[in-house]
Amino acid sequence: MSTPARRGRPGYDLESLLQVAVKLFNERGYDGTSMEDLSRKLGITKSAIYHHVPSKEELLRLAVDRALNGLFAVAAETESFEGRAIEKLEHLVRGSVLVLVDQLPFVTLLLRVRGNTKVERAALARRREFDRLVTELVKQAEAEGDVRPDIDPAVTARLLYGMVNSLIEWYRPRRGSAGTELADAVCKIAFDGLRTQQGS
Amino acid sequence: MSTPARRGRPGYDLESLLQVAVKLFNERGYDGTSMEDLSRKLGITKSAIYHHVPSKEELLRLAVDRALNGLFAVAAETESFEGRAIEKLEHLVRGSVLVLVDQLPFVTLLLRVRGNTKVERAALARRREFDRLVTELVKQAEAEGDVRPDIDPAVTARLLYGMVNSLIEWYRPRRGSAGTELADAVCKIAFDGLRTQQGS
């Protein structure tokens, strides 16, 4: 019935194996998931898994790198823009929401990383780099007079991404809310507030 | 040197025991922490712990109830207000930030609860009740013309509390940012946006 995969058991290539691993890590925690658990879940032997990846940590690295690469790709786009910092910031937020929606299990895993292993510490370092980049844009936009000057830019950046990152807690693809709609909602509230302009 | 506690070992009453338990649950996860771990951390026997509480789950219940009672107390205050729904909503958000800052380890534990035990499921049910209450206020404020009508109220409520709840990820008391300043920052961004009014 099925075409045998080129390597490993039919039905599993590295990509599908990674998908299952990430789902399991999110359910049970990375520390709480063993290669034994993964092999049981996949219905293949551990050596079949090791045929694809050398370690559990390598699965984690592949997963968090996918999330981080998605976010940094948006950041790189943003930097190549001409224009005001607030427009760049809005592009970055919008793009980040789309990455979260698109790569939900991968970003969920990234945001729950606690830093117990080398891979986790590296991921946390890249997250801090991303945070700095957001804070820098907020500062620039404030200097250009487009962002309110009465809040510490680092606090603004964290609250902004607090809103974005909260998606992993409540967004479920089947709820029918498309990524672009959600990105619009986040940008409207974050940039213009939920109060109607005549309301206050 | 120290006055013996009325019950249990000197130095530990139920309150201080709870504080240590919550810290440990937050570090290792509730599932990942045994009464054995807790007794080692406290330097007292397990039976000394059982003198104060019948089970690990009871410690969890006490902890998440403290966080939930704090949030629902603010909600009750809010309901007794005269005035527009948007003012009630702002009071609720401001009060929630203060509860988070005040009871940070307890709210952190609450927000990480996943629902594997009876206590966890009960906590999740109360969290959903709180979410409904926020959504209801957003709906009312929208009906009164004070909240933008172009976003689903449930999405607005979730983004709003996404911002509030993100505090558990990055707020550290020693950073010197007082609770009221932080509550101001959250309300300014959430209600009026980070864009200056002349900026766009």
Side-chain angles (χ1 to χ4, degrees):
Chain A
M1 297 274 287
S2 64
T3 311
R6 202 165 44 85
R7 305 200 305 171
R9 276 267 293 246
Y12 287 111
D13 51 13
L14 179 57
E15 178 59 28
S16 52
L17 195 154
L18 184 62
Q19 302 258 0
V20 175
V22 167
K23 189 162 181 289
L24 216 55
F25 293 161
N26 282 332
E27 281 165 16
R28 305 186 188 182
Y30 173 70
D31 291 333
T33 309
S34 66
M35 287 298 251
E36 186 64 39
D37 296 330
L38 186 55
S39 100
R40 247 196 311 268
K41 184 78 175 188
L42 291 161
I44 62 178
T45 62
K46 281 202 278 182
S47 70
I49 300 177
Y50 288 123
H51 192 74
H52 291 288
V53 279
S55 62
K56 188 177 88 157
E57 198 167 4
E58 178 64 11
L59 283 169
L60 181 66
R61 196 187 63 76
L62 289 168
V64 296
D65 276 0
R66 180 169 306 178
L68 284 162
N69 293 345
L71 291 169
F72 276 96
V74 178
E77 266 175 41
T78 299
E79 280 176 24
S80 71
F81 268 21
E82 303 284 323
R84 301 179 79 86
I86 197 167
E87 288 159 14
K88 294 183 185 182
L89 187 62
E90 196 160 348
H91 181 85
L92 186 58
V93 169
R94 193 175 293 277
S96 298
V97 173
L98 296 177
V99 169
L100 258 79
V101 165
D102 228 47
Q103 307 285 354
L104 196 62
F106 294 89
V107 182
T108 301
L109 187 61
L110 172 68
L111 294 179
R112 292 194 184 147
V113 148
R114 285 284 167 265
N116 300 319
T117 63
K118 203 177 155 188
V119 166
E120 288 171 274
R121 284 190 297 273
L124 286 177
R126 286 187 78 194
R127 280 191 60 190
R128 280 193 297 273
E129 192 189 328
F130 189 84
D131 289 348
R132 272 194 297 273
L133 206 143
V134 177
T135 303
E136 218 33 66
L137 273 181
V138 173
K139 271 187 199 161
Q140 278 177 36
E142 188 184 310
E144 291 170 8
D146 293 330
V147 157
R148 54 188 319 142
D150 54 351
I151 303 172
D152 174 351
V155 171
T156 299
R158 283 176 182 280
L159 289 173
L160 187 54
Y161 270 77
M163 198 187 258
V164 172
N165 293 341
S166 77
L167 295 189
I168 68 159
E169 302 294 340
W170 57 268
Y171 175 73
R172 294 297 168 267
R174 65 190 63 136
R175 283 199 183 161
S177 166
T180 49
E181 265 177 69
L182 207 48
D184 281 346
V186 171
C187 285
K188 281 176 186 168
I189 294 184
F191 288 88
D192 298 316
L194 54 84
R195 199 191 309 274
T196 48
Q197 300 300 323
Q198 298 76 12
S200 59
Chain B
M1 298 275 286
S2 64
T3 311
R6 201 165 46 85
R7 304 200 306 173
R9 275 269 292 246
Y12 288 112
D13 52 13
L14 179 58
E15 178 59 28
S16 53
L17 196 154
L18 185 62
Q19 302 260 358
V20 175
V22 168
K23 189 163 181 289
L24 215 55
F25 293 162
N26 282 332
E27 280 165 16
R28 307 185 186 180
Y30 174 70
D31 290 334
T33 309
S34 65
M35 287 297 250
E36 186 65 38
D37 296 330
L38 186 55
S39 99
R40 246 196 311 267
K41 184 78 175 187
L42 291 162
I44 62 177
T45 62
K46 280 201 279 182
S47 69
I49 301 177
Y50 287 123
H51 191 74
H52 292 288
V53 281
S55 63
K56 187 176 88 157
E57 197 167 5
E58 178 64 11
L59 283 169
L60 181 67
R61 195 187 63 74
L62 289 169
V64 296
D65 275 0
R66 180 168 308 178
L68 284 162
N69 292 345
L71 292 169
F72 276 97
V74 178
E77 266 174 42
T78 301
E79 278 175 27
S80 71
F81 268 21
E82 304 285 323
R84 301 178 79 87
I86 196 166
E87 287 158 16
K88 295 182 184 182
L89 187 63
E90 196 160 347
H91 181 85
L92 187 58
V93 169
R94 191 174 294 278
S96 298
V97 172
L98 295 177
V99 170
L100 259 79
V101 165
D102 228 47
Q103 308 285 354
L104 195 62
F106 294 89
V107 182
T108 301
L109 187 61
L110 173 69
L111 294 179
R112 292 194 183 146
V113 149
R114 285 286 166 264
N116 299 319
T117 63
K118 203 176 156 188
V119 167
E120 289 171 273
R121 285 190 296 274
L124 287 176
R126 287 188 77 194
R127 281 191 59 190
R128 281 193 297 273
E129 193 190 327
F130 189 84
D131 289 347
R132 272 194 298 274
L133 206 143
V134 178
T135 304
E136 218 33 66
L137 274 181
V138 173
K139 271 186 198 161
Q140 278 178 35
E142 188 184 311
E144 291 170 8
D146 293 329
V147 158
R148 53 188 319 143
D150 55 352
I151 303 172
D152 174 351
V155 170
T156 299
R158 282 175 182 282
L159 290 174
L160 187 54
Y161 270 78
M163 197 186 260
V164 172
N165 293 341
S166 77
L167 295 189
I168 68 160
E169 301 294 339
W170 58 268
Y171 175 72
R172 294 296 168 267
R174 66 191 63 137
R175 281 197 184 162
S177 166
T180 50
E181 265 177 67
L182 207 48
D184 281 346
V186 170
C187 285
K188 281 176 187 167
I189 294 183
F191 288 87
D192 298 316
L194 55 85
R195 197 191 312 273
T196 48
Q197 300 302 319
Q198 299 77 12
S200 59

